[in-house]
Amino acid sequence: MCKLPIDKTWLPSLLAVSLAVAGNSFLPLTHYASFAGEISQANEPERVPDGKIVPVNGKVNVKLTNKTNDRLFFYVVGQTNRQSLAENSTVALPALTLPASIVFRRLDGALLKPSLKPGGEGTLEVRLDETKDLGLDKTSLRIRNDGALFLR
């Protein structure tokens, strides 16, 4: 029987790496949108939602309105490519499959203040305004399967 010396520090290191990887829902699993959605929804911090929408058959319609004086870019993770939205214009994002994450950024990197307005069953309006308050700056919207809305 062969006895190999075992360094006692390997187990805590392995455990730390395993926990770090498990905590990141954006790792390579994001290629599998439904599985990634389940993981990220399970990891959603327990906090009060910023709003609520009633999904229809697991889908929602989102109207994104750019009220800034600059072009912005947005995409729905796993559902759309990066797109631009001209200043003071609106785009419809129909039938987004839940859970969904919408990411938005201004071209000049300036701050954005989104406001949410549920517009009836399965419909949500997201208005993006300029702000100078860092505390109000948000760059993404997460919509869970149950319709809970979280701005980040």
Side-chain angles (χ1 to χ4, degrees), residues 17-68:
V17 169
S18 298
L19 290 173
V21 169
N24 280 325
S25 61
F26 57 85
L27 288 173
L29 293 175
T30 56
H31 294 316
Y32 304 99
S34 64
F35 186 61
E38 291 171 17
I39 291 172
S40 61
Q41 184 163 327
N43 290 336
E44 184 70 51
E46 288 300 318
R47 66 178 179 110
V48 176
D50 296 301
K52 181 88 170 150
I53 186 171
V54 178
V56 176
N57 298 323
K59 296 186 183 290
V60 295
N61 299 311
V62 176
K63 184 168 85 170
L64 197 60
T65 303
N66 178 2
K67 297 304 284 182
T68 72

Side-chain angles (χ1 to χ4, degrees), residues 68-73 82 104-113 129-134 137-139:
T68 72
N69 290 319
D70 192 20
R71 178 174 298 278
L72 62 83
F73 292 92
R82 182 176 169 219
F104 30 84
R105 301 265 192 289
R106 285 186 53 178
L107 182 61
D108 62 2
L111 307 179
L112 285 171
K113 180 182 91 173
D129 290 297
E130 297 175 2
T131 185
K132 295 190 185 301
D133 185 342
L134 188 58
D137 182 45
K138 306 292 182 196
T139 58

Side-chain angles (χ1 to χ4, degrees), residues 74-90:
F74 70 93
Y75 65 96
V76 182
V77 178
Q79 297 185 50
T80 69
N81 292 323
R82 182 176 169 219
Q83 301 174 40
S84 67
L85 183 58
E87 56 275 358
N88 297 305
S89 62
T90 299

